[in-house]
Amino acid sequence: MNRQGDTLAPLDSRLVWRAAEQQDLDEWAGLIARTAAVEQPVWFERRADLEQILESKNNPVAANTILGFDPQGIDRAYARVTKNRDGDKATGSGCVDPAWQGSGIGTELLGWMEQRTRERFVEDAAAAGGVAEAGAVEPHPRLRLYMEEKHQHQAALFAGSGYTIVRYYNEMHRPLNQALPDGVLDPGLELLTFGPALHEPVRLAHNDAFRDHWGSEPRDEEGWGFVVNDPQARPDLSGVVLERSTGTVAGYQLATYDAEGALARGYREGYTELLGVRRDFRGRGIAQVLLADAMRRFAAAGMDVASLDVDSENPTGALALYLKMGYSAVNRSMAWDKDL
């Protein structure tokens, strides 16, 4: 049992519970892969992603993960909580081996995540000195979970545990075997390929562009490092629009490619992980240029479809733009919240 487990009612006694460690990578990745083989999610964590998780200083695994091993040493359950120090929510994730589902372990893992979320809010308040600015409202512990709509067993678990849906997201695809759209930048703007020299300027642009988006929190250096060093990141398929006179990042499109997923799905998908335009540059067609550029990069790299996800209530009108450019919804997911 890890440190947090001592504050909870015991988790399933058939399993030995402890925090994730380097030595667990293969078993941990194996559990997630077995679960994904049955549930067929659009994306799931692989060994390289778990290696990144182990490196986190903001969310150290010793306190923020839990794995459950059977007597043969096989990992059967996993949960993790992440939180920004000044964030107003924590995010939970995890899975239970399909052969062990339906026995109450999922409910117990939710309980562990909820308790860990309460602890994180206390710890973060203490780290900040425990004194809020005058007039500021202390954030109340809140846990957010994400799931795809097709995973109704998760929906039943979340609803039965007091969570409510707070947002819907659409996964959208755009075939690349059709005529591709054009886009022309205003004079004074230029389009470049993303690279190391642009990592920090684009991070700052992202934080600026998403400060008016629901649920978004600023990315610090560690969080941004996980983006640009993602095992599936494809900077060669990513574009950045700069203002020539100042060098200011006006907008960006950061892409990934899941080669293993392509084998399972039977098609190759260029995925726009992040797309943003700074407020001062909106209304000038920059997002359209970035998406058109992405499609051409994807097609040249042999991709079959361009894809992305969009908040169904995105305040910038992104959904209308994607429909205009030939994207259509193929899957839906949702965010669930619970105040603790």
Side-chain angles (χ1 to χ4, degrees):
M1 187 76 71
N2 73 348
R3 182 181 65 80
Q4 286 75 30
D6 295 337
T7 70
L8 299 171
L11 293 166
D12 195 299
S13 61
R14 295 173 296 169
L15 301 176
V16 175
W17 298 92
R18 61 174 172 79
E21 299 175 359
Q22 185 75 27
Q23 67 192 32
D24 301 321
L25 276 170
D26 290 336
E27 274 299 328
W28 190 4
L31 163 66
I32 296 171
R34 287 195 304 277
T35 307
V38 173
E39 298 185 348
Q40 297 292 304
V42 172
W43 175 88
F44 60 92
E45 293 164 324
R46 296 183 173 87
R47 195 181 195 278
D49 301 299
L50 303 182
E51 289 173 349
Q52 278 197 324
I53 290 170
L54 285 170
E55 296 171 359
S56 176
K57 293 181 173 59
N58 292 341
N59 293 281
V61 293
N64 297 293
T65 63
I66 192 165
L67 306 181
F69 296 87
D70 70 11
Q72 288 72 47
I74 300 173
D75 188 9
R76 298 297 186 178
Y78 147 56
R80 179 167 69 102
V81 167
T82 61
K83 182 182 178 295
N84 291 331
R85 177 168 291 183
D86 57 354
D88 65 354
K89 65 182 178 303
T91 300
S93 59
C95 64
V96 177
D97 190 307
W100 288 63
Q101 291 179 9
S103 62
I105 294 176
T107 300
E108 293 176 350
L109 288 179
L110 278 183
W112 179 89
M113 288 190 281
E114 290 171 8
Q115 179 61 24
R116 183 64 194 133
T117 296
R118 295 184 187 96
E119 293 173 354
R120 284 296 302 270
F121 273 79
V122 172
E123 292 167 7
D124 291 348
V131 179
E133 295 182 7
V137 178
E138 287 288 342
H140 192 77
R142 180 162 50 103
L143 180 61
R144 178 164 297 163
L145 309 169
Y146 293 93
M147 58 158 281
E148 293 178 43
E149 189 172 39
K150 64 184 177 183
H151 295 148
Q152 287 303 302
H153 63 295
Q154 294 180 7
L157 173 61
F158 297 170
S161 300
Y163 291 79
T164 57
I165 297 173
V166 293
R167 210 72 164 188
Y168 288 92
Y169 301 87
N170 293 315
E171 179 195 357
M172 306 188 78
H173 284 187
R174 204 286 189 183
L176 296 173
N177 60 357
Q178 304 172 358
L180 300 180
D182 292 317
V184 179
L185 286 173
D186 289 350
L189 298 176
E190 63 178 333
L191 177 63
L192 302 177
T193 299
F194 185 56
L198 290 168
H199 284 184
E200 181 62 8
V202 172
R203 181 183 77 88
L204 297 176
H206 173 78
N207 288 344
D208 180 45
F210 275 77
R211 58 195 167 100
D212 58 354
H213 283 235
W214 180 88
S216 180
E217 295 179 359
R219 305 282 184 110
D220 62 11
E221 287 80 0
E222 179 182 283
W224 194 247
F226 290 164
V227 172
V228 298
N229 298 315
D230 187 297
Q232 297 175 2
R234 288 292 299 267
D236 59 314
L237 304 180
S238 306
V240 180
V241 172
L242 298 182
E243 184 178 47
R244 292 180 188 273
S245 62
T246 64
T248 300
V249 173
Y252 54 90
Q253 183 276 139
L254 304 187
T256 59
Y257 174 61
D258 182 356
E260 291 183 46
L263 294 175
R265 289 188 296 264
Y267 61 87
R268 292 159 294 182
E269 175 185 7
Y271 181 70
T272 291
E273 189 78 35
L274 292 174
L275 175 72
V277 177
R278 271 191 157 120
R279 291 187 190 190
D280 292 347
F281 292 91
R282 290 177 187 166
R284 297 170 63 178
I286 293 173
Q288 180 170 333
V289 168
L290 286 165
L291 288 175
D293 176 67
M295 290 181 197
R296 296 184 185 282
R297 292 175 188 260
F298 296 162
M303 310 295 178
D304 300 305
V305 300
S307 67
L308 47 76
D309 281 88
V310 60
D311 180 342
S312 61
E313 299 179 42
N314 186 295
T316 65
L319 179 58
L321 170 64
Y322 302 153
L323 293 171
K324 174 184 173 183
M325 298 192 70
Y327 290 86
S328 58
V330 298
N331 189 27
R332 190 163 74 157
S333 61
M334 53 272 286
W336 298 67
D337 275 11
K338 181 179 180 179
D339 290 326
L340 304 174

